[in-house]
């Protein structure tokens, strides 16, 4: 189960990073999220932080399972 959470976290984090980078360095956000919703820059920061948190949680669980 933690593997799935880690994968979802990585995907959400990457989409947040792409959207934020597109807003900062380009005219429009990059990634798939912008195709479905109009997300403000703060929303992309939230996606990045939540994705990083989920990925960290999932990766820590996988590392703990390997040690046991």
């Amino acid at each position: 189960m933690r593997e799935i959470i880690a994968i979802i976290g990585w995907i959400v984090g990457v989409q947040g990073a792409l959207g934020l980078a597109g807003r900062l360095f380009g005219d429009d956000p990059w990634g798939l999220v912008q195709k479905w919703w109009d997300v403000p820059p703060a929303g992309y920061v939230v996606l990045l932080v939540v994705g990083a948190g989920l990925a960290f949680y999932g990766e820590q669980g996988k590392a703990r399972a390997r040690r046991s």
Side-chain angles (χ1 to χ4, degrees), residues 26-50:
D27 293 335
D28 294 323
W30 305 326
L32 290 175
V33 174
Q34 59 95 18
K35 294 194 182 287
W36 297 309
W37 298 288
D38 185 27
V39 180
Y44 286 115
V45 172
V46 170
L47 285 174
L48 177 61
V49 170
V50 168

Side-chain angles (χ1 to χ4, degrees), residues 46-67:
V46 170
L47 285 174
L48 177 61
V49 170
V50 168
L54 287 174
F56 180 75
Y57 174 75
E59 294 295 333
Q60 288 297 320
K62 287 182 352 185
R64 237 181 264 148
R66 273 185 257 147
R67 278 185 261 152

